[in-house]
Each structure stands twice: as C-alpha cells, then as structure tokens.
Amino acid sequence: MTNVTEQPARSTTNLSVAEAIKTRVSIRKYVQEPMNQDDLREILELTSLAPSAWNAQTWRFAVVQDADLKEKLKDAAYGQGQITSAPAVIVVYSDMEDTLATVEETAHPGMGEEGRVGQRKTFEGAFGQQDVAQRGQWGLTQANIAFGFLMLAARSKGYDTVPMLGFNPQAVKELLGLPEHVQFAGLLPIGKRAEEGYPQHRHNLDRVTKFY
C-alpha cells in the first residue's frame, strides 16, 4: 500500500533516446508531489524490455512510495536525503533463484514445448553446478542492464533520478522482506527535479576508447 491519495496529471514529455541520454543528470531534491502511477508503470514496462542473456530477465523491482517506509529506507541508506525527497524509490535487484525456478517462463512462446525444455536444460547446464553466490553474480550483471534502461526510461518521460549504491544491503533485504540470496543493482529515487543538477562531465571519447 502507498500513501498516494490523488493522481497527478500524466507527463506529456517524450524525449528521444539521444535527448534522454544527454539531459540525464543526478538529482537529489525533488518536487513534493506524488508520481503519476500510469507514468510509473509505463517507465517500469519500458525498463522490462531491457535485453538479457538467454532472455533470463533476472531483474526485479520494489517500488517504495509509502512515507514511513521511505524513512526506514533512508536509514538503511545512511541518511541520504534523496530517499525521502523523491516521491518514489525503485529498488532494483536480481533474483537468480526465482529465475531458475521459473525458467520455462523465459522461453519464447514461438519455440513451443521444445523451447521450454531447452531453456531448462540450458540454465541447468550453465548454473546447476554453481553455488548461489556464483550464479547470483551472473544474474546481477543482467539486472545492471535494466538499471541503466530504467534511468533512461524515466528521463524519456520527463522524470529525474539519481543512482544509489551507498546503502546497507542486509538492512534493505530485511526492510522489504526480500530473500537472503538477492543481489542489488541499486536504489533509484525518481521524481521531478526541484533543483538543477551538475551538468554532465565525462572523459573525452579518445580517453576511454581503443579502436582495433
């Protein structure tokens, strides 16, 4: 349950991918209004279209909008104010054990039963001999892709975010009732900016690129 009592107007912003990338900056203070829930769902649906190896889709989303729960989440994030400033915080995590338990769901319907059986064999062959932590790390690499998509999907609809890795994972698991084995891509406060962030500052392309 959330404390959202009224539905703000939907965003009319639709930025191109290039515009979303170029205008995305980290924002830590947000306009004090709830998110439009249709926008929120659309952002998550866009994010869920992110690619993953073998279509594993290991990512999971916990959307925190309840004010009391955000206060507790803020404590788990060492008091960082953006948690409670933002109308919503999306916790992005990977659940590789759930992925393995339901792996047939990730097989394309066009492949039929043969595809479902093949998907099970592929995952059992790749991960069956690994321990929970090993395969969990692989699942996290897939969730990290979705984390990047989430920031761009949010910006494309006119919302702002700030990626957060500074938090106590165990405390967040306990707070949200998540299984011990899950691994976190990060926390993402999301909303409309109440102040401008610092402009982007990046290495020159030649500094970080080698062409072969």
Side-chain angles (χ1 to χ4, degrees):
M1 298 294 293
T2 72
N3 63 348
V4 177
T5 58
E6 59 183 57
Q7 177 81 327
R10 291 204 69 175
S11 173
T12 59
T13 301
N14 286 288
L15 301 181
S16 69
V17 174
E19 289 171 331
I21 291 172
K22 291 177 180 179
T23 62
R24 197 220 67 79
V25 295
S26 291
I27 297 296
R28 292 173 174 81
K29 291 186 179 179
Y30 296 86
V31 175
Q32 297 303 293
E33 64 179 18
M35 276 196 71
N36 179 283
Q37 299 300 289
D38 293 327
D39 284 344
L40 181 56
R41 292 191 66 89
E42 183 178 355
I43 288 166
L44 291 168
E45 286 171 356
L46 289 170
T47 302
S48 70
L49 297 176
S52 56
W54 292 319
N55 200 34
Q57 303 171 71
T58 63
W59 47 74
R60 303 291 185 267
F61 309 113
V63 183
V64 180
Q65 299 181 86
D66 179 81
D68 292 337
L69 191 55
K70 282 195 296 179
E71 283 288 351
K72 295 175 182 177
L73 189 61
K74 177 182 175 181
D75 289 340
Y78 312 120
Q80 295 182 78
Q82 58 263 40
I83 293 286
T84 49
S85 178
V89 180
I90 303 174
V91 181
V92 183
Y93 63 98
S94 173
D95 191 337
M96 190 62 179
E97 298 309 295
D98 181 54
T99 298
L100 291 175
T102 60
V103 70
E104 288 85 0
E105 295 177 4
T106 65
H108 195 283
M111 297 180 179
E113 184 61 24
E114 181 179 354
R116 291 167 61 84
V117 171
Q119 191 80 328
R120 168 63 62 186
K121 288 181 178 179
T122 295
F123 277 74
E124 288 184 350
F127 304 109
Q129 300 304 311
Q130 294 184 358
D131 62 32
V132 171
Q134 284 179 309
R135 59 189 180 230
Q137 186 60 42
W138 184 90
L140 179 60
T141 65
Q142 311 306 306
N144 286 334
I145 298 172
F147 195 58
F149 267 57
L150 177 57
M151 286 183 275
L152 294 184
R155 187 68 199 126
S156 76
K157 298 300 298 179
Y159 291 91
D160 297 292
T161 59
V162 54
M164 296 180 62
L165 295 176
F167 57 92
N168 183 326
Q170 189 60 40
V172 175
K173 289 177 188 178
E174 293 174 1
L175 183 61
L176 300 181
L178 300 178
E180 181 63 30
H181 60 260
V182 306
Q183 298 197 33
F184 293 101
L187 312 183
L188 195 73
I190 179 173
K192 296 290 182 70
R193 68 181 68 180
E195 65 177 17
E196 296 300 315
Y198 285 106
Q200 294 177 351
H201 172 67
R202 300 293 187 271
H203 286 304
N204 181 279
L205 183 62
D206 291 334
R207 171 71 174 78
V208 297
T209 307
K210 293 182 179 180
F211 292 95
Y212 294 89

